[in-house]
């Protein structure tokens, strides 16, 4: 008898619509958050995650990586981010739709949403084997969604990845992650959750023909109710203010004058 062929791997890549990194952030007049009436784009760390999924398929071949699916949670405008992911190489996408006025979902709600989508995919040919996502979003900078997801699923995890190698024969992923003073190599069993760091790769740009083709790729839509996830915020933001403007420094003529000024500022000796 011939041995049965190994099942192909499916990759899920969560992406987030965030204020573009080049925009100067300003607090809104109500001081409830930042002014969001500005240019938005895909979270830069998520761009790296999409690029890495595509590079894995290019290096391993379509005989190993079956599909790359992008997923986002947010208002209708978030579909533009999915189209970007589809244009650079993702095969399909999922949009968990929220009202335009809804607050940005917190990391635990995002992790539970991804968990629900992975469970919905089942254990057959559509089973998710790998989740690659940015280590953090540049708007909230929390950096905990990947770890929470791995904990909910009971999967292996490797954070701050600067290099990813898949050994499909062993069903393992070797991840080099950045630590203080160097790199650490982590060997993980599939399925696995990987969060990406800046040095992992440089994302590509989508070509015009691929942007046009992306409009024909499927985007599946769900509501929070479909997935059984509660998006009620667990945290309450009381007030958001800008930091005080920096004032110019001054020169002192002697050490004694410096010490006196430090004491006036409330700086005490250790």
């Amino acid at each position: 008898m011939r041995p049965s062929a190994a099942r192909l791997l499916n990759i899920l890549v969560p992406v987030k619509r965030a204020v573009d990194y080049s925009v100067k952030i300003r607090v809104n007049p109500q001081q409830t958050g930042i002014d969001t009436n500005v240019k938005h784009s895909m979270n830069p760390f998520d761009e790296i995650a999409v690029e890495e999924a595509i590079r894995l398929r290019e290096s391993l071949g379509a005989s190993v990586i079956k599909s790359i699916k992008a997923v986002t949670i947010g208002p209708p405008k978030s579909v533009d981010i999915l189209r970007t992911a589809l244009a650079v190489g993702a095969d399909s996408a999922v949009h968990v739709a929220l009202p335009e006025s809804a607050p940005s979902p917190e990391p635990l709600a995002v992790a539970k949403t991804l968990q629900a989508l992975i469970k919905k995919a089942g254990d057959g040919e559509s089973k998710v084997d790998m989740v690659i996502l940015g280590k953090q979003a540049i708007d909230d900078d929390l950096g905990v969604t990947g770890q929470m997801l791995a904990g909910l699923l009971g999967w292996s995890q490797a954070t701050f990845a600067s290099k990813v190698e898949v050994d499909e024969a062993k069903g393992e992923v070797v991840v080099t992650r950045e630590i203080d003073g160097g790199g650490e190599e982590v060997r993980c069993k599939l399925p696995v959750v990987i969060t990406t760091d800046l040095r992992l790769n440089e994302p590509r740009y989508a070509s015009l023909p691929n942007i046009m083709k992306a409009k024909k790729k499927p985007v599946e839509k769900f509501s929070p109710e479909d997935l059984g996830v509660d998006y009620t915020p667990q945290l309450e933001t009381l007030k958001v203010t800008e930091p005080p403007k920096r004032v110019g420094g001054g020169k002192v003529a002697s050490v004694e004058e410096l010490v006196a000024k430090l004491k006036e500022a409330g700086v005490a000796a250790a």
Side-chain angles (χ1 to χ4, degrees), residues 103-111 140 142 145 231-236:
S104 182
E106 295 173 356
L108 183 57
V110 175
D140 57 28
L142 295 177
T145 302
Y231 283 77
T232 303
Q234 309 259 335
L235 305 173
E236 180 185 1

Side-chain angles (χ1 to χ4, degrees), residues 1-37:
M1 292 180 63
R2 291 183 178 179
S4 58
R7 193 182 65 79
L8 303 184
L9 304 180
N10 298 304
I11 302 177
L12 184 69
V13 186
V15 295
K16 184 177 184 180
R17 179 177 180 266
V19 173
D20 190 85
Y21 71 92
S22 63
V23 172
K24 180 176 174 59
I25 300 297
R26 299 185 185 279
V27 176
N28 62 28
Q30 299 79 24
Q31 294 188 320
T32 57
I34 64 169
D35 180 11
T36 57
N37 190 26

Side-chain angles (χ1 to χ4, degrees), residues 148-166:
M148 286 181 171
L149 177 60
L152 290 172
L153 294 170
W155 286 11
S156 307
Q157 65 171 304
T159 56
F160 314 120
S162 58
K163 185 178 180 181
V164 177
E165 298 173 296
V166 177

Side-chain angles (χ1 to χ4, degrees), residues 11 13-15 44-54 132-134 194 196 200-201 203:
I11 302 177
V13 186
V15 295
F45 290 101
D46 297 338
E47 289 183 338
I48 294 171
V50 175
E51 175 67 22
E52 189 61 23
I54 297 166
I132 308 177
L133 67 161
I194 298 172
T196 61
L200 180 57
N201 61 53

Side-chain angles (χ1 to χ4, degrees), residues 107-189:
L108 183 57
V110 175
K112 287 182 176 180
T113 301
L114 298 175
Q115 179 191 29
L117 289 171
I118 290 169
K119 286 186 176 181
K120 188 178 282 289
D123 293 324
E125 291 299 313
S126 299
K127 177 186 176 184
V128 176
D129 304 280
M130 187 184 305
V131 179
I132 308 177
L133 67 161
K135 69 173 184 178
Q136 66 194 76
I138 62 171
D139 48 8
D140 57 28
D141 269 341
L142 295 177
V144 294
T145 302
Q147 294 90 321
M148 286 181 171
L149 177 60
L152 290 172
L153 294 170
W155 286 11
S156 307
Q157 65 171 304
T159 56
F160 314 120
S162 58
K163 185 178 180 181
V164 177
E165 298 173 296
V166 177
D167 187 338
E168 68 275 15
K170 295 182 178 179
E172 294 179 345
V173 179
V174 180
V175 177
T176 302
R177 57 188 304 271
E178 297 199 354
I179 60 173
D180 291 341
E184 177 184 50
E185 191 174 272
V186 180
R187 186 177 296 272
C188 304
K189 286 285 187 183

Side-chain angles (χ1 to χ4, degrees), residues 238-253:
L238 301 179
K239 187 177 182 181
V240 179
T241 59
E242 292 186 5
K245 292 184 178 179
R246 297 182 64 179
V247 295
K251 294 183 178 180
V252 294

